[in-house]
Amino acid sequence: IEGGGNKSLTFENVPLNAIVVHKTDSVTGEALGGATSQLRYLGGASGTGGAVIGQKVTGSNGMAIWTGLKPGSYIVEEVDPADGYSIIQSSETVYLADNGEQSVITVRFENMPDGNLLIRKVCSANPSVTLPNAEFKITYADGSYVPDENGQLSSNGLYYTDREGKITISGVVGTVVVTETASIPGYTIDEATRTQTVVVHPNDTQTLYVYNEPETTLVLEKFIKGTDREPLAGVEFLVTDGAGTVIGPNNGVYT
């Protein structure tokens, strides 16, 4: 540098690469936050191995970003979809080139919305009458319990109809077994339909109707003949159905 002169020196650095994961709803295209992805480094153009770089969760914009990546092959794996969704494509392999320029690759994953199961409990004589507080055991075909609407697993798989006679379970996919375990006073369970199986697909709502027979009441009144309906106590009656089978306790004898 000559006296009184200036020199400008320029140093260039090549920025490291980045991989962006973009997660969306396969039906609406909306961004999905809360999905977990994992990045593994394979090395070289077609290397082997698979060292785990780490995991990231998509934000509200449906994106997760890894920066500072060296050139080579990577596998982006979907570890856990957003709540209420199922994985469609589990992984994708990408290659970050070593060409002296920054390489940013966006990997797009879609998740399929899970299905919903709606159980409606109604009176068989009048379906407009809904039956609250009926008890059901709901499991998958393998016997595992179906999580409740908060994603918590029930200790016994029991659900109860609400005041409108409904049970609604979101985020269900697969074969579900629904068993009515207890009816409500005044109604009896139909043994032929006590247990029902339904298949719920992704982005699907299945409605299952369960009917209960209202119990009937038989009143027998005994009067003294020739009186103004003066009651006569202590008389025994045997009550049977049309086939001769006794009905009720005490071998069908009522007094």
Side-chain angles (χ1 to χ4, degrees):
I1 302 176
E2 297 178 356
N6 296 297
K7 276 288 184 179
S8 176
L9 302 179
T10 301
F11 295 88
E12 292 185 347
N13 288 156
V14 177
L16 290 172
N17 307 299
I19 295 177
V20 179
V21 173
H22 189 204
K23 183 68 65 67
T24 56
D25 184 306
S26 64
V27 177
T28 66
E30 296 179 353
L32 295 180
T36 303
S37 297
Q38 178 174 274
L39 184 65
R40 289 194 292 134
Y41 177 63
L42 296 180
S46 58
T48 60
V52 176
I53 302 299
Q55 295 184 351
K56 287 185 180 292
V57 179
T58 56
S60 58
N61 61 355
M63 293 186 178
I65 304 174
W66 278 274
T67 59
L69 302 175
K70 58 185 178 181
S73 296
Y74 292 83
I75 293 181
V76 184
E77 300 170 311
E78 189 167 7
V79 176
D80 186 23
D83 290 342
Y85 287 83
S86 296
I87 295 174
I88 298 176
Q89 178 186 356
S90 61
S91 67
E92 184 171 332
T93 301
V94 297
Y95 177 66
L96 297 176
D98 186 8
N99 57 8
E101 296 181 0
Q102 185 183 37
S103 178
V104 177
I105 295 179
T106 298
V107 182
R108 302 182 185 277
F109 289 102
E110 290 184 330
N111 282 170
M112 176 71 75
D114 287 342
N116 303 295
L117 175 62
L118 173 61
I119 300 170
R120 297 185 61 89
K121 180 73 173 291
V122 297
C123 172
S124 61
N126 183 2
S128 64
V129 177
T130 58
L131 306 179
N133 300 319
E135 181 183 276
F136 288 84
K137 183 176 183 179
I138 304 174
T139 68
Y140 285 109
D142 62 2
S144 61
Y145 298 133
V146 176
D148 64 19
E149 61 183 6
N150 297 315
Q152 301 297 315
L153 286 173
S154 169
S155 61
N156 51 15
L158 296 180
Y159 284 81
Y160 298 87
T161 53
D162 62 17
R163 61 183 181 181
E164 296 179 347
K166 296 187 299 182
I167 296 174
T168 304
I169 308 176
S170 302
V172 181
V173 174
T175 301
V176 180
V177 180
V178 179
T179 302
E180 186 175 5
T181 53
S183 185
I184 62 174
Y187 290 85
T188 59
I189 296 175
D190 181 1
E191 293 298 329
T193 59
R194 174 190 286 269
T195 299
Q196 300 185 49
T197 301
V198 61
V199 178
V200 184
H201 299 282
N203 195 33
D204 173 33
T205 297
Q206 291 290 331
T207 301
L208 190 64
Y209 283 88
V210 180
Y211 299 92
N212 278 176
E213 284 282 347
E215 294 178 347
T216 57
T217 301
L218 174 64
V219 179
L220 301 175
E221 294 181 292
K222 182 74 173 179
F223 302 103
I224 299 176
K225 184 177 181 179
T227 66
D228 187 15
R229 297 177 63 86
E230 182 179 347
L232 181 61
V235 180
E236 288 188 351
F237 290 87
L238 176 65
V239 181
T240 67
D241 60 17
T245 304
V246 297
I247 299 175
N250 301 321
N251 295 320
V253 175
Y254 291 81
T255 302

